[in-house]
Amino acid sequence: MLKSVTSILLLCLLVCDTLPLSGAEPKESHPVPRTVAPGAELEEEYAAKAFFEGPVWDPVGKKWYFTSFVDKDTKILRLDGEGQASIWLDNTKGINGTYLSNDGNMLGAQAYGQHVMSYGFGDSGPSETTVIAANPKWNQPNDVCQTPNGNIYFTDPDFKNRKTSAVYVRTTDGAVKKIITEMPVPNGIIASNDGKTLYVGDSHEKLWRSYPILEDGTVGEGKVFFNPETARQDSPDGMSIDAEGNLYLSGRGGVWVASPEGKSLGLIPVPVFCSNVSFGGVDGKTLLLTCSNKVYSLKMKVPGGQYR
């Protein structure tokens, strides 16, 4: 049996320009999101001294993959069994956020190589490797997603100076356009299931914004989408979406679930800083949570947006 995590102690492992909290943390009560399966608890899938990111499910090979950071030693790991993971790709040059592409490959934002990559799922490593976009002047591509029409969106945060951060789109004709520049530190990114709305988390402002996606792939004026009523200031990081269009937002104390209208449906508390979340599993109803030193899974009532 996997180790059941019953504690809901919210430890504050701060990353990405997070300010420390002072004094005792106030007690807060947030409901368990209705999308979590009845009686479900976090299950520890894997543990090691590393910062884990970028969870993605391969529906053909039926395996989970996630990224591992130990300083700048970055790898993509494959979960092979209870507490067991193998190195699927070494020396990734900082592959961070990942996404299951429309053609069934793994998209990856490469922080240190300033690339957006595509990898085919192979048994012993990528069956194919393609550079989707590249620019040596980018800061460090952080997260990536794709809309149903094939456009690929990714964030490029300037964590240090907060002056040159941007969000880009790579349209299906191969053009790369800078589409958002007003966010200090854009981090996690996901699109609505219909491809009409782009959601971006900001690690400096500690909230999430939404933007209408226009016909040419660019975006209209953004607005604050979600800013939960909590004293927790853990930086927003990666995110996912379910088949109902609800957003799963890591940061600010765990994983928040918000309706498409930006209303809180509750909080999934996590005992360590949670960097990212993704849906997968054979029925699409498992949520994988990558964290500091831990990877957890959680059974859900609804499938992910890509499994509708």
Side-chain angles (χ1 to χ4, degrees), residues 55-160:
V56 65
W57 170 258
D58 171 19
V60 176
K62 296 180 173 52
K63 293 283 187 179
W64 283 108
Y65 295 77
F66 50 92
T67 60
S68 169
F69 285 75
V70 180
D71 295 324
K72 286 198 173 184
D73 178 16
T74 60
K75 301 175 172 62
I76 298 177
L77 305 183
R78 181 179 62 208
L79 189 65
D80 293 327
E82 180 180 334
Q84 298 178 344
S86 58
I87 298 173
W88 185 72
L89 182 62
D90 206 351
N91 302 316
T92 70
K93 295 184 179 179
I95 292 293
N96 189 48
T98 65
Y99 190 81
L100 180 66
S101 69
N102 296 352
D103 58 5
N105 289 340
M106 177 195 298
L107 296 176
Q110 190 186 64
Y112 311 139
Q114 286 90 16
H115 291 72
V116 176
M117 304 295 296
S118 173
Y119 300 111
F121 289 103
D123 290 338
S124 58
S127 59
E128 59 181 83
T129 299
T130 305
V131 176
I132 298 297
N135 190 327
K137 294 183 179 180
W138 287 336
N139 299 299
Q140 53 180 81
N142 184 275
D143 203 3
V144 61
C145 70
Q146 189 172 31
T147 50
N149 69 357
N151 288 342
I152 295 171
Y153 293 83
F154 59 97
T155 57
D156 183 39
D158 175 8
F159 286 111
K160 183 177 180 181

Side-chain angles (χ1 to χ4, degrees), residues 34-35 190-195 197 199 225 240-249 257-263 265 279 302-306 308:
R34 61 172 176 75
T35 55
I190 200 76
S192 59
N193 294 326
D194 60 8
T197 305
Y199 303 93
F225 168 73
S240 191
I241 190 169
D242 68 22
E244 298 176 354
N246 302 308
L247 281 298
Y248 293 71
L249 311 167
V257 182
S259 72
E261 296 74 34
K263 179 182 178 181
L265 300 183
F279 277 89
V302 297
Q306 293 179 304
R308 290 175 294 163

Side-chain angles (χ1 to χ4, degrees), residues 282-293:
V282 293
D283 60 358
K285 294 182 180 180
T286 297
L287 191 69
L288 200 75
L289 301 84
T290 52
C291 306
S292 176
N293 302 325

Side-chain angles (χ1 to χ4, degrees), residues 16 23 34 36 78 82 94 145 178 181 216 243 277 280 294 298:
C16 304
R34 61 172 176 75
V36 175
R78 181 179 62 208
E82 180 180 334
C145 70
K178 184 185 294 186
T181 58
D216 64 354
V277 291
K294 302 282 187 179
L298 182 66

